[in-house]
Amino acid sequence: MGQIVGSMHMNVAEVFSNRRKRKRSTDSSLGKDDPAQLDTTQPKKKKLLTTTQYIYKALFKEEKNSDVAVMALDKVWHLHKVYLSQSPYFYTMFNGTWREAQQNFIQITILDDRITVASLDAVFGSMYSDEIEIESADVISVLATATLFHLDGIIDKCAEVMVDNISPETAIQYYEAACQYGVVGVKKSTFQWFQINLLSIYSKQPNLLRHISIELMSALTASPDLYVMQTEFSLYTLLRTWMFLRLHPDYDPEDPVQRAEALKTQELLVNAGVETHAPSGDVVQWTYFTSRTEERSFLATPEGQPYVKVFQKLRTQYLTNHYMDLKIIYNDNIIPKEWLYRHIHNHWDALLRIDHGQEDCSPQQLDDEQFFENCMRCGRMLLEPGYQKWRWTGFNFGMDLILIMDSRRLNIRRHHRHEHERVLSLQTKRKFMVRTTVTSINAQRQAVFTQTSEICSLSLEKNEEVPLMVLDPKLVHPLLISINMLVVMPPNQSFKEVVPLSEEATTSLSIPISEIGANSDRPLSPSSADDSAVFIGDSEPSTPSSPAPRPRIAWSASDTGAICGQLAC
């Protein structure tokens, strides 16, 4: 019996032993032939949620253990007072004597149109997490919401996103939002971006240009750091376009139909022998201003009054340095004629003083404020390195100044050619003040590096050339160059503070002829006949007459009506 039992134990042991061997053999073959099946038999590792992730998921997303419900924009969030109290807005609400401190349902009235349900959700969620994702398209909404709840950390993050994403499409919105919500860093960055790009970008994008506010345009026009490409007249034409677009919100210069109408109008003007001196895209606005029948300036009309402060900041004294510029401005009749007459009088007075060698006409060491308020602004873009030479056209009181870029050095030269001596200053030395700014920009037209010189007072002889700046190695092309110059002492321009509603009385000289030159130091009797500028003859002395009325466009009233009828204005 004992042998039988022992034999049974051995057989059972062999059976289990053989099963284990077969199992190991099978597992071994699986491991060799199919590693994927082997992996399924191994225990899997599972990463636990971090505390922050768990809080965000359980308390914000799943709304567990909520002790307060917040309703805004018709949506309800089930939240927690302890987390909402991170916001000074909610902390004051829950810990003060407000009735909401004892309530578990709070309704918030949203008055700001910029705040959306998505921005509220993002900001509420950020109180349960240590991070927030802000897209550039949503950054203004998030900023508005964070400002409502006084969350400085999120405001700073929004500011970083906005500064990094300034572009022609976003700059106007970002600047307005920065002003509204008091984000000083963004306001400063966008304003600097506008100073660099206003004339080089928005002159080509009218549908963006029209959205620049009067306040912003006034500040830009006044800025001495504005990169004026090329001269002040370029800024004038941009302001003319900007004002026209704001006055006609339905006019779209990029619309093919309206563009075709503008081309047709230009053909009519050319056939009528009318010189517009404007591209086809500007013909509509040119016609709008020049075809006005009244003599008073456009700024004196009710439509033009809101734009007076912008054109007052325009440096109109530099609009009369070229005969074609003066002709166009006079025909536009936007600026009061009195301003132009005063500038021409001041220019002529300065020229006479320069020709007579009067030192008081050359700018001396004016303070920075006087220089920046009165300096000429000229700009140019250099796309590639190499030797380049250029001038800004216009009669600058007998100074033909040429800028020369040679390698990494920017020079200025008082160019004096003998064949043009009578239109140039014959003074041995001429003094002027100048400041130079060079900026390197990236693909977003943002300033990468800027180098600015001090305000220098130079005295140049004929054909003398001096360096203005040695460029820093950090300046890489493309480069924007901005030059501020003052070649004569600035006159008093207080007359621009008033825009006359009627200019009939202002076209005559306000100073009696008997008083002209009354305070002059010039001797009554010339020392020689060559010094005399007095005409001796039988003719009666004449008094200065008023300038002739502004010549109107050379077409009949019926032609004007036909042309204007085709315009979308």
Side-chain angles (χ1 to χ4, degrees), residues 265 268-269 272 287-288 290-293 553-569:
T265 300
L268 291 173
L269 294 172
T287 306
Y288 174 76
T290 57
S291 61
R292 294 172 51 241
T293 56
I553 304 171
W555 63 58
S556 65
S558 59
D559 293 334
T560 304
I563 292 175
C564 291
Q566 300 176 31
L567 305 180
C569 57

Side-chain angles (χ1 to χ4, degrees), residues 505-533:
T506 63
T507 55
S508 61
L509 291 175
S510 57
I511 303 175
I513 190 171
S514 59
E515 297 182 13
I516 295 179
N519 299 322
S520 174
D521 296 330
R522 181 177 178 177
L524 296 179
S525 300
S527 58
S528 66
D530 293 336
D531 292 336
S532 176

Side-chain angles (χ1 to χ4, degrees), residues 342-363:
R342 289 292 188 99
H343 288 316
I344 294 171
H345 175 273
N346 292 334
H347 290 348
W348 183 243
D349 179 72
L351 284 170
L352 292 177
R353 290 177 178 274
I354 291 170
D355 191 59
H356 210 65
Q358 294 291 323
E359 287 292 333
D360 62 345
C361 192
S362 298

Side-chain angles (χ1 to χ4, degrees), residues 424-451:
L424 297 175
S425 171
L426 298 180
Q427 296 300 319
T428 303
K429 286 190 174 183
R430 283 292 306 275
K431 297 178 181 179
F432 62 97
M433 301 176 70
V434 61
R435 184 190 72 157
T436 307
T437 305
V438 182
T439 296
S440 180
I441 57 176
N442 59 18
Q444 288 181 258
R445 306 281 304 193
Q446 296 176 340
V448 177
F449 184 80
T450 298
Q451 182 178 354

Side-chain angles (χ1 to χ4, degrees), residues 325-562:
D325 296 350
L326 184 59
K327 179 180 179 181
I328 292 172
I329 292 169
Y330 189 71
N331 279 331
D332 287 344
N333 198 22
I334 295 173
I335 296 174
K337 292 186 284 290
E338 168 69 7
W339 294 6
L340 300 178
Y341 300 152
R342 289 292 188 99
H343 288 316
I344 294 171
H345 175 273
N346 292 334
H347 290 348
W348 183 243
D349 179 72
L351 284 170
L352 292 177
R353 290 177 178 274
I354 291 170
D355 191 59
H356 210 65
Q358 294 291 323
E359 287 292 333
D360 62 345
C361 192
S362 298
Q364 306 300 321
Q365 292 295 335
L366 299 177
D367 59 50
D368 291 358
E369 183 178 357
Q370 288 177 304
F371 174 81
F372 286 134
E373 286 181 354
N374 296 279
C375 63
M376 181 190 309
R377 299 175 293 186
C378 304
R380 186 178 179 89
M381 175 181 285
L382 302 182
L383 298 177
E384 298 178 352
Y387 180 86
Q388 301 184 60
K389 180 171 65 175
W390 70 93
R391 66 162 57 84
W392 289 286
T393 59
F395 186 75
N396 297 318
F397 303 92
M399 290 270 282
D400 186 13
L401 297 174
I402 296 178
L403 277 292
I404 301 170
M405 177 67 79
D406 187 5
S407 183
R408 303 292 294 178
R409 186 185 297 270
L410 180 64
N411 296 346
I412 190 167
R413 175 184 177 88
R414 181 188 171 191
H415 195 51
H416 197 100
R417 292 176 291 179
H418 293 290
E419 63 270 24
H420 295 151
E421 275 194 347
R422 290 315 302 167
V423 297
L424 297 175
S425 171
L426 298 180
Q427 296 300 319
T428 303
K429 286 190 174 183
R430 283 292 306 275
K431 297 178 181 179
F432 62 97
M433 301 176 70
V434 61
R435 184 190 72 157
T436 307
T437 305
V438 182
T439 296
S440 180
I441 57 176
N442 59 18
Q444 288 181 258
R445 306 281 304 193
Q446 296 176 340
V448 177
F449 184 80
T450 298
Q451 182 178 354
T452 303
S453 70
E454 298 292 333
I455 301 174
C456 304
S457 182
L458 300 179
S459 178
L460 296 185
E461 296 183 356
K462 298 175 183 179
N463 293 316
E464 183 179 0
E465 181 177 326
V466 297
L468 288 178
M469 177 183 290
V470 177
L471 270 60
D472 191 287
K474 296 178 182 177
L475 288 170
V476 296
H477 290 74
L479 297 177
L480 292 176
I481 297 178
S482 178
I483 302 293
N484 302 110
M485 285 192 296
L486 195 60
V487 299
V488 294
M489 286 294 289
N492 187 336
Q493 300 192 49
S494 58
F495 60 86
K496 292 175 63 176
E497 296 175 0
V498 177
V499 177
L501 297 180
S502 175
E503 298 182 10
E504 295 178 358
T506 63
T507 55
S508 61
L509 291 175
S510 57
I511 303 175
I513 190 171
S514 59
E515 297 182 13
I516 295 179
N519 299 322
S520 174
D521 296 330
R522 181 177 178 177
L524 296 179
S525 300
S527 58
S528 66
D530 293 336
D531 292 336
S532 176
V534 180
F535 173 78
I536 300 176
D538 297 329
S539 61
E540 292 292 325
S542 60
T543 58
S545 60
S546 301
R550 183 170 71 96
R552 307 313 304 174
I553 304 171
W555 63 58
S556 65
S558 59
D559 293 334
T560 304

